Amino acid sequence: MAQIRISDAARFLGVSNDTVRRWIDRGLLTRSPGTPATVDGLQLARLARDNAVLPADPADVGRSARNRFVGIVTDVLSDTVMSQVELQCGPHRVVSLISTEAVRDLGLEPGVVATAVVKSTNVVLEKGA
């Protein structure tokens, strides 16, 4: 099973190294012996999934897409036809290319809360060395 350094585990979950160490002390994660200090990747994945706090989707609409990222619009770059809309969704930056007409219709501008809904048959995953 994959072993994840405590510092990386903290970075992946958006918490401090001390928080991960407290989770180890509380028995939520098991520290692997040796140096550098690591935790079990499967335990970390389960903890991340079970404790994920997702902002409520303000649309309250049922849909088949499971990947919804609620965030705040941080930038909108528009020309006559197309716009690039950037959202900050927790630690994730999501960029969407949509029509400028849609930007106007939705009232998208920096500071507005919006939800990025992602449904894709092509998702690229990468794994480091």
Side-chain angles (χ1 to χ4, degrees), residues 15-126:
V15 299
S16 69
N17 293 2
D18 289 337
T19 296
V20 174
R21 287 188 179 91
R22 282 193 291 274
W23 289 341
I24 292 169
D25 292 343
R26 289 175 37 201
L28 298 173
L29 291 171
T30 304
R31 184 187 184 283
S32 303
T35 303
T38 61
V39 294
D40 179 72
L42 181 58
Q43 277 188 330
L44 183 65
R46 288 179 178 152
L47 181 69
R49 182 189 57 218
D50 293 345
N51 292 295
V53 178
L54 300 175
D57 187 340
D60 194 30
V61 173
R63 61 179 66 89
S64 64
R66 298 290 178 242
N67 302 307
R68 296 190 303 269
F69 303 96
V70 178
I72 188 162
V73 176
T74 57
D75 195 21
V76 178
L77 300 172
S78 297
D79 67 16
T80 307
V81 177
M82 294 300 294
S83 294
Q84 176 179 306
V85 181
E86 181 177 309
L87 288 90
Q88 192 65 39
C89 305
H92 305 288
R93 177 178 168 257
V94 178
V95 178
S96 178
L97 299 175
I98 63 175
S99 71
T100 298
E101 179 182 12
V103 167
R104 282 192 305 270
D105 290 349
L106 294 171
L108 297 176
E109 61 185 34
V112 169
V113 174
T115 304
V117 180
V118 181
K119 177 91 173 187
S120 177
T121 58
N122 183 22
V123 177
V124 176
L125 300 178
E126 297 178 342

